[in-house]
Amino acid sequence: PPRRTGWPRSPADPTDGTRFGPGLRRGAGTEPDARRGAEPGARRHSRHPETTSTALREPHSERSAPMTRIKRGVSLYSYQHEYAHGTFTLEDAIAAAAKIGALGIETLAEQMIPGFPFPGQPDLPDSFYAQWKDLMTKYGTTPTVHDMFLDTKRYSGRLLNHDEMVDSLRRDIRHTARLGAKGIRIIVNTPPQVVEAAAPYAAEHGVWMGVEIHSPYSFEDEWIKRHLEVGERVGADVVGCVPDMGIFVHRLPRVLVDRALRDGADPELAAEIVETYNARGDTTALFERIEKIEGIDPFTLGLARNATFMIAQDVDCLRGHAEFIKHIHAKFYEMHPVEGFDYWHEYSIPYHEIVPVLAEIGYDGYLSSEYEGNRHIEDVETVDSVTQVAAHQGMLAALLPALTSEEN
């Protein structure tokens, strides 16, 4: 696509072996909120509520809004820190989600299911799926989505060919069906033609597939449009999308900025990066200028690069794609208390704008909490994903009006 002033080109074709290109879609035409623009390193409230009940307090009954059947869930990705450090098992993660009423369980097999096979190897044994179903029954939870990955660089010297990628996806389809889940999050580097080739197999197994719309990609990118065109051909009941709420980062996350400052980033340049991002400025031009500074430290440069990858779409972009939205990755970086509210807020992502739009367009799937702040704070404090997820779920419970789903 033609280059727009202040915007880099759209991300490269992700099948070339790169995770993401340097592309950016920054919410053209949006105006900065007067509340945005906090200084980097500004003192924050503690991320730990005094009591869990405070973080989870129910909303006032006076709230008037559209009826909704939106449900709450958790991506077990949120508990990756505890799992990786051996303080959580798979069951512990499920139990933590169930305890706070987030009954939809999203899984990442490569992360938390030991023995998950490479394509071509035997599927997981029946005994695993029996144990899994026992866990779902024990905690009253429902499997929602399996997050698949495509190991395009499995072999030295070449990428996977089309048939190998289809075979890999068919493995994920079988696994999803055996879990009892309804859908697969399709990682964005999966070619649309691979998804289309696997669509009949997915339909036979009662599984839908949804490409993840994850920054720096947006609904406007040609790659995403090609995926949605597959949905138009085979049916939105089989192929759709999974928007990640990280496409709505309207303020640069404080935890990310604070980590860069602790690591040694230049405070003045960090402040300029935050101000430029929050004002919807030209973050690419700023990155290119900082990159040319002789002796620039890697932490400042890394922060500037992150500001080009994060995007701030207008939440109304969801309205034009309602039929294809299968599942929501409810990304968050930092929950914090706000004066005058009995539930915590997410610092960077405007859920108070997102949730009403989803309700208005009739979305009836899951909001699946996905915590990513852990990696930015582990150098200075003990990561407490359980409390952060509980606070995020408390916010969602407060924002979801007139609940009609028994699961909530």
Side-chain angles (χ1 to χ4, degrees), residues 154-187:
R154 185 180 309 142
Y155 303 114
S156 176
R158 72 174 181 88
L159 300 178
L160 293 185
N161 61 41
H162 173 83
D163 290 343
E164 289 169 331
M165 288 189 280
V166 173
D167 182 56
S168 179
L169 183 49
R170 287 165 66 99
R171 169 209 59 177
D172 289 296
I173 291 168
R174 292 192 301 274
H175 172 69
T176 302
R178 293 293 306 274
L179 287 178
K182 298 297 184 183
I184 298 177
R185 183 292 313 265
I186 298 292
I187 194 73

Side-chain angles (χ1 to χ4, degrees), residues 50-293:
E50 293 181 3
T51 65
T52 301
S53 59
T54 301
L56 292 178
R57 190 172 298 163
E58 288 301 317
H60 297 298
S61 58
E62 295 89 353
R63 182 187 301 274
S64 61
M67 298 287 284
T68 180
R69 294 187 63 84
I70 297 174
K71 298 172 280 290
R72 294 187 287 117
V74 171
S75 168
L76 299 191
Y77 184 85
S78 299
Y79 303 121
Q80 60 180 279
H81 184 92
E82 287 79 2
Y83 186 88
H85 287 79
T87 59
F88 257 30
T89 63
L90 175 62
E91 180 172 357
D92 292 332
I94 295 168
K99 185 176 181 179
I100 55 176
L103 302 181
I105 304 297
E106 180 175 353
T107 58
L108 297 86
E110 282 90 347
Q111 182 184 67
M112 290 189 184
I113 299 180
F116 187 68
F118 284 112
Q121 294 180 337
D123 291 347
L124 288 169
D126 293 344
S127 59
F128 166 78
Y129 294 107
Q131 293 169 1
W132 171 259
K133 290 178 180 178
D134 287 344
L135 287 174
M136 293 296 101
T137 299
K138 178 178 179 179
Y139 293 102
T141 47
T142 299
T144 58
V145 168
H146 158 63
D147 289 8
M148 61 78 76
F149 294 90
L150 191 62
D151 299 327
T152 56
K153 291 186 174 182
R154 185 180 309 142
Y155 303 114
S156 176
R158 72 174 181 88
L159 300 178
L160 293 185
N161 61 41
H162 173 83
D163 290 343
E164 289 169 331
M165 288 189 280
V166 173
D167 182 56
S168 179
L169 183 49
R170 287 165 66 99
R171 169 209 59 177
D172 289 296
I173 291 168
R174 292 192 301 274
H175 172 69
T176 302
R178 293 293 306 274
L179 287 178
K182 298 297 184 183
I184 298 177
R185 183 292 313 265
I186 298 292
I187 194 73
V188 73
N189 69 321
T190 307
Q193 58 268 32
V194 169
V195 174
E196 188 159 11
Y201 193 74
E204 291 172 8
H205 286 76
V207 170
W208 57 255
M209 300 177 289
V211 63
E212 182 177 20
I213 302 178
H214 189 294
S215 65
Y217 290 86
S218 71
F219 283 106
E220 286 73 42
D221 282 293
E222 291 303 317
W223 184 256
I224 299 301
K225 289 180 179 179
R226 287 174 58 191
H227 272 275
L228 297 184
E229 287 167 0
V230 174
E232 291 175 352
R233 288 192 293 271
V234 305
D237 57 326
V238 180
V239 173
C241 64
V242 177
D244 183 289
M245 297 300 94
I247 65 175
F248 303 120
V249 174
H250 286 192
R251 296 196 290 185
L252 205 60
R254 290 187 298 191
V255 291
L256 184 149
V257 178
D258 288 352
R259 177 63 186 265
L261 288 169
R262 290 194 302 272
D263 287 340
D266 181 277
E268 291 186 6
L269 287 174
E272 184 178 1
I273 292 166
V274 171
E275 180 180 356
T276 301
Y277 182 93
N278 291 355
R280 310 294 183 268
D282 190 344
T283 54
T284 299
L286 178 59
F287 169 75
E288 291 173 350
R289 174 166 66 82
I290 291 174
E291 189 179 29
K292 295 175 182 176
I293 297 175

